[in-house]
Amino acid sequence: FDSVEIDSRGADARGTLMSSTYAKYDRRADRFEMRGNVAIATTANGPGVTARGERAAYEQRAAKITLAGAAEVSEGGDLVRG
């Protein structure tokens, strides 16, 4: 899909918001592969985490994000780049 925005929040507004230029979803693996200005924001546990990069793979069931290209992750006031 092109120009993607995905909202997987539940009724309690907790969950994940994702956006990217392109995304592909593998239903069996519950895995999103995204590229182009990727942003993933989750509020499922605690204060919320935002991950950004040029490419990302998000394994929803495992709550695992793999980033590449100008990757950064922020949580609260903390920021990691690399």
Side-chain angles (χ1 to χ4, degrees):
F1 299 101
D2 294 323
S3 298
V4 178
E5 290 191 18
I6 301 165
D7 184 343
S8 67
R9 293 178 296 176
D12 63 358
R14 291 180 165 236
T16 306
L17 295 170
M18 297 173 270
S19 65
S20 65
T21 303
Y22 171 85
K24 180 174 77 172
Y25 178 63
D26 180 340
R27 175 177 241 134
R28 287 177 24 156
D30 197 17
R31 175 187 168 101
F32 293 89
E33 291 185 26
M34 297 163 279
R35 68 175 183 246
N37 199 27
V38 177
I40 302 170
T42 183
T43 58
N45 298 313
V49 174
T50 301
R52 298 181 185 278
E54 284 305 308
R55 293 178 309 284
Y58 176 49
E59 298 174 46
Q60 193 162 258
R61 220 175 282 132
K64 179 180 175 183
I65 300 170
T66 304
L67 297 168
E72 67 178 44
V73 177
S74 62
E75 180 177 16
D78 297 326
L79 175 66
V80 176
R81 289 186 176 132

